[in-house]
Amino acid sequence: MKVVNALTEEVRVRYAPSPTGFLHIGNARTAIFNYLFARHAGGKFIIRIEDTDQKRNVDGGEESQLKFLKWLGLEWDESVDVGGEYGPYRQMERLAIYKKYWQELLDKGLAYKCYCTPEELKAEREAQMASGQTPGYSGKCRHLTAEQIAQYEAEGRKPTIRFRIPDDQKIEFDDIVKGHLTFDSNDVTDFVIVKQNGVPTYNFAVVIDDHLMKMTHVLRGEEHISNTPKQILLFRAFGWKPPVFGHMTLIVNENHKKLSKRDNSIVQFIEQYKNMGFLPEALFNFITLLGWSPKGEEEIFTRDEFIKQFDANRLSKSPAMFDKSKLEWMNGQYIKKLSEEDYLALTLPHMIHAGLIPEEMTAEQRRWASRVALLYQEQLHYGADIVNLCDMFFNKDIEKAELTKGEKKILEGEQVNDVLTVFDRELRSLSEWTAEAIAPKIKVTQKETKQRGWKLYMPIRVIATGSEHGPELPEALELIGRDLVLKRLEHYLSAQQTV
RNA sequence: AGGGCGUUGGGCAAGUGGUUAAGCCAAUGGAUUCUCAUUCCAUGAUCGCGGGUUCAAUUCCCGUACGCCCUCCCA
């Protein structure tokens, strides 16, 4: 029964960002769900730019939206860049279209001009709040006489146009995620559909566009639930059939507040994640699991798998908190699967950026840096993470300035001197400085000193690498280099002797 | 204030009128390992609260608390 009738109606959905900011987590999720919904149904995914708030539009907002959507792996069928038969796809280029429709409403008496100034409205609202009333437009200009209108016009006032909300109407619709929703038109006040400057408001333009662009479904954030009755009333006024609505839960921050662009408690722009070295596939995967869950227990999916099993009925009803640690874990899962080449392309630039390695490297330098980076593929969470992880390979100190508690404990062992003396001697006899050659020398040290495990390795590690933690010892020593390792051992041992 | 939506362990979240209430992340403990990491094992919820319907409710109904969203000439 829920089968879409492909013969009569092709699924058409849209992502409709306003270019008031760059692409962030919330935007991306809306876009992804619409994309998944369209592709799953074999329908069309459209991107429409809602730029009617010229004051808030920011330069580069539109480009950023498209650029990072593309980076995430989305593709669309119609939009400002690829065209389409229902264009233009930028609302400010559709002004003439809107005008025809609001004029129709005006002619039919379904809308009227309102001469109230923003200041008057604001004062009205504040007065209502102060006296504990529900804030909302009073309907003051609903029945203006010709004289009053002439008077206002003479004053030079420029009107807005308001939609006349009909009384006592029940507004009901079946929301894909929330179920059956009911509203009463008496709870909705006459709202502005055309601003003073002749530009329509969101609630008006969205209805015209969704109808003209033949949208079959509207999947959007639940902050739009209370806008829906207004829009449905407009659909009715025009005698149009509304699309099927689905309101997705919000993504909230640690304080359970809706993620807003100004929220600093969380990194939320896609570009920032890209810059930190998160992979688009991982981000896509993670975002898709925010407010939606697949059927089985699996959580890592490719885009095609998501498309195949996406089911809007499994959209969650309650808000999801953005969980950074899970994102990092998931990104790590993807990093593990990276080819050596891709892994290096992800990490090396961060090492360069941090000044650890030069941008122009000799083949030799590059091989060395690559081996260092590769040491951490299993545990890397995101690209920039490499900088801290591989820290010990760039520390050239002969002696550590300050030992940690753990390191002190290690060096207190009475076997330490023995172990290091033997190991030092053995290393000096090496003709070839490779992990393969170094490893047997640890064994020799073990035999000779009768020390093993923690007591054998840790003193060597602390003194030779300068840290109690790190990758496998032989390879670490090889990459740190003969010179430094021997210097560190020598320095430590000579200091011991003078004591 | 009005309207709307939501509430399953720290986070995500599955699920059903009768189950030992999945799974993932995190945390903690343990095993393996020279350390970190990896890997593996283990640990924890009676389903916001109160009532009702029922032989039986986390699952249905009512109420209540809390949270959030909207009530902009923002989208």
Side-chain angles (χ1 to χ4, degrees):
Chain A
M1 318 163 353
K2 291 211 79 245
V3 177
V4 173
N5 191 338
L7 287 178
T8 58
E9 197 173 47
E10 176 189 53
V11 163
R12 290 175 57 83
V13 296
R14 67 349 185 241
Y15 165 58
S18 67
T20 53
F22 305 128
L23 187 70
H24 64 102
I25 305 281
N27 293 143
R29 192 186 59 146
T30 303
I32 287 173
F33 284 157
N34 275 285
Y35 167 80
L36 254 18
F37 185 83
R39 289 292 176 263
H40 178 81
K44 294 281 192 286
F45 175 54
I46 292 103
I47 294 182
R48 180 176 70 221
I49 305 294
E50 311 216 320
D51 53 355
T52 53
D53 187 352
Q54 294 165 285
K55 270 172 266 161
R56 298 195 195 184
N57 289 346
V58 303
D59 282 346
E62 183 182 311
E63 291 71 25
S64 168
Q65 294 277 340
L66 298 183
K67 179 176 165 194
F68 289 101
L69 245 22
K70 210 167 270 176
W71 180 75
L72 281 172
L74 301 205
E75 44 196 31
W76 41 94
D77 304 294
E78 298 168 28
S79 188
V80 290
D81 57 342
V82 296
E85 55 179 310
Y86 299 95
Y89 293 91
R90 216 176 263 116
Q91 290 188 324
M92 286 308 283
E93 293 168 13
R94 301 172 61 80
L95 260 24
I97 298 171
Y98 303 127
K99 178 166 184 183
K100 181 179 151 216
Y101 290 100
W102 55 253
Q103 190 58 53
E104 180 183 334
L105 253 24
L106 234 32
D107 293 343
K108 289 184 179 165
L110 296 174
Y112 60 92
K113 292 183 178 177
C114 168
Y115 290 88
C116 299
T117 65
E119 294 72 35
E120 288 167 351
L121 293 171
K122 193 175 169 215
E124 181 179 288
R125 227 181 349 259
E126 277 164 5
Q128 288 166 332
M129 297 278 249
S131 63
Q133 294 174 62
T134 303
Y137 179 62
S138 63
K140 198 171 155 195
C141 299
R142 256 194 160 196
H143 307 286
L144 254 26
T145 61
E147 290 78 44
Q148 287 171 306
I149 291 174
Q151 162 86 35
Y152 281 136
E153 293 279 349
E155 285 175 22
R157 292 197 185 207
K158 278 209 163 159
T160 59
I161 298 174
R162 281 183 190 271
F163 181 56
R164 199 185 295 277
I165 301 290
D167 292 332
D168 305 321
Q169 287 216 22
K170 284 271 170 289
I171 303 145
E172 305 184 43
F173 63 98
D174 288 302
D175 191 281
I176 295 177
V177 353
K178 303 287 187 183
H180 191 75
L181 301 183
T182 310
F183 295 85
D184 188 325
S185 71
N186 296 326
D187 295 321
V188 183
T189 55
D190 295 352
F191 61 95
V192 173
I193 58 175
V194 183
K195 304 179 225 180
Q196 236 174 26
N197 62 5
V199 177
T201 57
Y202 163 76
N203 277 313
F204 184 71
V206 76
V207 168
I208 305 298
D209 289 344
D210 283 342
H211 175 256
L212 260 24
M213 294 183 180
K214 296 198 161 51
M215 295 302 156
T216 55
H217 303 260
V218 169
L219 294 180
R220 69 216 323 189
E222 80 177 8
E223 70 266 29
H224 287 295
I225 289 182
S226 357
N227 284 324
T228 309
K230 297 179 186 174
Q231 294 167 16
I232 288 179
L233 253 14
L234 277 170
F235 275 105
R236 281 186 194 167
F238 285 112
W240 296 337
K241 179 178 165 228
V244 174
F245 293 99
H247 289 96
M248 306 179 292
T249 64
L250 265 12
I251 299 175
V252 297
N253 64 19
E254 294 89 337
N255 302 319
H256 298 276
K257 297 264 197 250
K258 169 181 153 186
L259 232 48
S260 89
K261 289 167 202 154
R262 291 210 200 94
D263 194 337
N264 294 321
S265 69
I266 197 173
V267 175
Q268 56 172 311
F269 292 105
I270 301 300
E271 180 169 17
Q272 294 173 297
Y273 285 99
K274 176 176 185 278
N275 292 342
M276 283 191 279
F278 280 86
L279 300 168
E281 296 81 6
L283 222 36
F284 185 103
N285 196 146
F286 177 74
I287 292 173
T288 303
L289 261 25
L290 230 41
W292 182 80
S293 62
K295 212 162 175 131
E297 294 184 355
E298 201 58 40
E299 295 204 314
I300 307 284
F301 296 102
T302 63
R303 182 170 13 268
D304 286 343
E305 287 166 342
F306 271 127
I307 289 173
K308 202 168 160 199
Q309 63 163 318
F310 186 76
D311 177 359
N313 292 304
R314 295 186 66 83
L315 246 14
S316 150
K317 284 189 206 305
S318 50
M321 192 175 285
F322 186 86
D323 183 357
K324 188 179 165 230
S325 71
K326 187 160 183 179
L327 200 213
E328 291 185 353
W329 167 81
M330 187 169 283
N331 201 54
Q333 297 302 305
Y334 278 83
I335 285 178
K336 283 184 200 186
K337 288 188 273 188
L338 248 30
S339 68
E340 188 173 310
E341 190 189 352
D342 289 342
Y343 175 78
L344 293 174
L346 174 72
T347 48
L348 260 25
H350 285 99
M351 291 167 73
I352 293 170
H353 183 75
L356 262 26
I357 53 177
E359 195 157 359
E360 301 294 334
M361 285 179 277
T362 63
E364 176 74 11
Q365 282 177 312
R366 196 184 163 77
R367 231 186 46 222
W368 178 81
S370 299
R371 284 188 62 193
V372 167
L374 252 358
L375 249 21
Y376 298 97
Q377 180 157 8
E378 284 295 306
Q379 59 185 289
L380 197 74
H381 282 143
Y382 51 95
D385 205 14
I386 191 69
V387 176
N388 293 322
L389 285 176
C390 70
D391 179 54
M392 64 176 253
F393 291 99
F394 298 92
N395 174 16
K396 306 290 186 213
D397 295 345
I398 302 296
E399 184 183 2
K400 205 169 177 195
E402 204 168 333
L403 295 174
T404 66
K405 245 171 107 180
E407 290 163 349
K408 274 184 195 150
K409 189 171 173 225
I410 290 161
L411 297 180
E412 273 164 14
E414 79 288 347
Q415 90 292 8
V416 172
N417 226 14
D418 237 18
V419 167
L420 293 179
T421 305
V422 175
F423 188 59
D424 175 69
R425 188 195 71 216
E426 288 298 317
L427 282 186
R428 286 176 200 277
S429 72
L430 275 179
S431 56
E432 183 190 323
W433 189 262
T434 62
E436 292 70 31
I438 293 169
K441 294 304 186 188
I442 299 179
K443 290 291 172 201
V444 171
T445 309
Q446 173 179 337
K447 278 215 177 83
E448 198 170 324
T449 62
K450 304 266 191 322
Q451 298 296 336
R452 34 184 282 191
W454 193 84
K455 290 189 160 193
L456 171 68
Y457 281 84
M458 290 311 280
I460 298 177
R461 175 177 291 286
V462 170
I463 295 307
T465 73
S467 169
E468 60 180 318
H469 304 307
E472 282 211 60
L473 204 42
E475 191 165 11
L477 295 185
E478 178 192 341
L479 292 172
I480 286 172
R482 170 179 226 144
D483 207 41
L484 230 202
V485 168
L486 292 181
K487 261 190 207 149
R488 281 171 175 165
L489 285 168
E490 185 187 12
H491 177 81
Y492 177 80
L493 290 171
S494 63
Q496 290 308 106
Q497 273 172 6
T498 58
V499 173

